[in-house]
Amino acid sequence: MLLVLELVGIAVFAASGALAGVRARLDVFGVVILAMTTALGGGIIRDVLLDVSPPTSLRDWRYLLVTAVTGLIVFWIHPHMAKLRRAMLLADAVGLGLFTTAGTITALELGAPAYTACLIGMTTGIGGGALRDVLIREIPVVLQREIYAVAALLGAVVVVVGRDIGLPQGPTVLAGAVLIVTVRVLALWRKWNAPLPRES
Amino acid sequence: MLLVLELVGIAVFAASGALAGVRARLDVFGVVILAMTTALGGGIIRDVLLDVSPPTSLRDWRYLLVTAVTGLIVFWIHPHMAKLRRAMLLADAVGLGLFTTAGTITALELGAPAYTACLIGMTTGIGGGALRDVLIREIPVVLQREIYAVAALLGAVVVVVGRDIGLPQGPTVLAGAVLIVTVRVLALWRKWNAPLPRES
Amino acid sequence: MLLVLELVGIAVFAASGALAGVRARLDVFGVVILAMTTALGGGIIRDVLLDVSPPTSLRDWRYLLVTAVTGLIVFWIHPHMAKLRRAMLLADAVGLGLFTTAGTITALELGAPAYTACLIGMTTGIGGGALRDVLIREIPVVLQREIYAVAALLGAVVVVVGRDIGLPQGPTVLAGAVLIVTVRVLALWRKWNAPLPRES
């Protein structure tokens, strides 16, 4: 089930990358490559931090296939230009939820302590999107207005606590992912912004 | 022979980095550091993915010496401003060819399966240039018009197939590199562009 | 004592990241996240290059606490806008000094040869700041005017030579750090610029 969650997360992050690529007016190859980088980047960072070599997403052809297909689909049937950023942020939110929780569980199962697993899970969830934004010269979404890293942290904590108190893994991971996506979508919809530095 | 190929690849990638640095009006240190980052970046990424620690290019002083000397030479005798980007793209194409094939062979020899070795080889070839572009705030060449990643893929496949059917390693790696450089130069010269997303 | 040096280095790099975040008009979360990324980035790169898994800064909660607290303090009592860049460069210089020397010693103690340890130490010192600059779309300070990487190199060499000739570790590391900070501050103050490429 973890594999299914990861592949769905791969697909939605690929979609977010492809949508960003379309918005940046890249050609079909650029869109697909950006989709691949966004989708596989977080998992590769996680595998490097946990000393899994070579990274899982480079060993199993299904990962790359999912990103390529998703990238091509988005390239052909993307929303209107005006709605691209919103679609990208929504796909990114779902990917953040799935990847953060899957990454946290993966870290726990490889023996990482709870604190470390939370951080590695968050890095897995945030990393792909940050890579996507840097490549097209945008400031990463994680650094912009609206709750992002905090949402990921909440989901990671749910996963760790759920495992600690003995809850079944599947529902816990799903609950964590749903929490992250909900917080993120609410933050975007209701514009939950945090304070800015004083002007002087 | 693999070492020679790698050092030549290091030199040309260092040249591409230095040319980009001159174009970005960096001073001599900036030009040399950008040359070093571009030249060693791909190999370091490859060694991290293959769990080679510490990375080869940080252990052998010849790597850094080649990058520093190349960077300084380019700093002093660079082409006219108008021709800098073209020179940078040409050096980048040769580096892409040499690094992708050398990286694929290295991955194979460290036990990676064919599929993974292709991807790691491509990442080695593409990584240094992407790092260079990001540091001077350009969109990476791999995401721009004209065939790039596909060229690298072709060369990686040639290396893997050649090894599979028992061809001698040296000529195969060279053939793969030549193929990559040829495809890339043709794409730049004949403007082999891929379709853009629809406008609406 | 190495831990104290590292935590102070973490704090000042966090300050440099937070100052950059305030200057980029990020909100409180963005400022704190940028502080964390700048402060922990160099150490994570070092641990990845030296095959330390998971990275130290993700295992010990004191690291993250120091970065969060520093980030929040800077968010609340930052200097006037006009002085932000200068403050950021000063904090960055101190962080560069502490991290480069601590990173070099760490590499030496993990068995890396002198040459490699210097390079890894320099990468540790330079990496966090480069990450910070890339995330807010600035050209990394290391590539700009004024001596930067050379300052880091001098400190790394002091650490390696001091260890080679048997000097006590604490004073050597401190001397190296002071040298780096002094060279950097002098370079900024006296505008020690290096030659630019010729105009044509």
Side-chain angles (χ1 to χ4, degrees), chain B residues 4 10 28-29 49-50 67 94 118 142 152 154 157 159 164-165 173 192 195:
Chain B
V4 167
I10 295 268
V28 65
F29 287 118
L49 293 180
L50 292 173
T67 66
V94 179
C118 275
V142 64
L154 291 175
V157 166
V159 167
D164 238 25
I165 66 181
V173 167
W192 286 348

Side-chain angles (χ1 to χ4, degrees), chain A residues 49 116 137 195 197-199, chain C residues 25-26 28 53 58 78 137:
Chain A
L49 293 180
T116 305
R137 297 185 299 183
R198 55 178 175 78
E199 273 297 314
Chain C
R25 316 293 299 135
L26 303 181
V28 65
S53 169
L58 299 183
H78 63 81
R137 298 185 298 184

Side-chain angles (χ1 to χ4, degrees), chain B residues 71-95:
Chain B
L72 287 169
I73 290 175
V74 169
F75 178 82
W76 266 296
I77 61 171
H78 62 80
H80 291 277
M81 281 291 161
K83 295 190 178 178
L84 278 174
R85 184 158 177 82
R86 187 177 306 181
M88 188 275 284
L89 289 172
L90 187 63
D92 179 273
V94 179

Side-chain angles (χ1 to χ4, degrees), chain A residues 11-29:
Chain A
V12 288
F13 257 142
S16 82
L19 289 162
V22 167
R23 192 157 170 267
R25 316 293 299 133
L26 303 181
D27 67 17
V28 65
F29 288 119

Side-chain angles (χ1 to χ4, degrees), chain C residues 137-158:
Chain C
R137 298 185 298 184
E138 309 249 2
I139 292 193
V141 178
V142 65
L143 294 181
Q144 294 185 17
R145 311 298 301 283
E146 295 99 28
I147 312 291
Y148 193 94
V150 172
L153 174 66
L154 291 174
V157 166
V158 161

Side-chain angles (χ1 to χ4, degrees), chain B residues 1 21 55 59 69 79 132 198:
Chain B
M1 192 219 175
R59 276 185 287 168
V69 168
R132 168 200 66 219
R198 54 179 176 78

Side-chain angles (χ1 to χ4, degrees), chain B residues 83-110:
Chain B
K83 295 190 178 178
L84 278 174
R85 184 158 177 82
R86 187 177 306 181
M88 188 275 284
L89 289 172
L90 187 63
D92 179 273
V94 179
L96 179 74
L98 293 169
F99 258 61
T100 301
T101 50
T104 308
I105 277 285
T106 303
L108 286 170
E109 296 198 330
L110 282 168

Side-chain angles (χ1 to χ4, degrees), chain A residues 131 134-135, chain B residues 13 16-17 20-21 26 33-46 57 88 92 99 123-143 148, chain C residues 45 49 123 127 130-131 134 138-140 142-143:
Chain A
L131 207 50
V134 165
L135 288 180
Chain B
F13 257 143
S16 82
L26 305 179
I33 290 166
L34 191 58
M36 288 177 173
T37 308
T38 310
L40 306 183
I44 290 177
I45 293 173
R46 176 202 62 214
S57 41
M88 188 275 284
D92 179 273
F99 258 61
T123 306
T124 311
I126 296 172
L131 207 51
R132 168 200 66 219
D133 300 332
V134 165
L135 287 179
I136 50 170
R137 299 185 297 183
E138 308 249 359
I139 292 193
V141 178
V142 64
L143 294 180
Y148 193 93
Chain C
I45 293 173
L49 293 180
T123 305
L131 207 52
V134 165
E138 309 249 2
I139 292 193
V142 65
L143 294 181

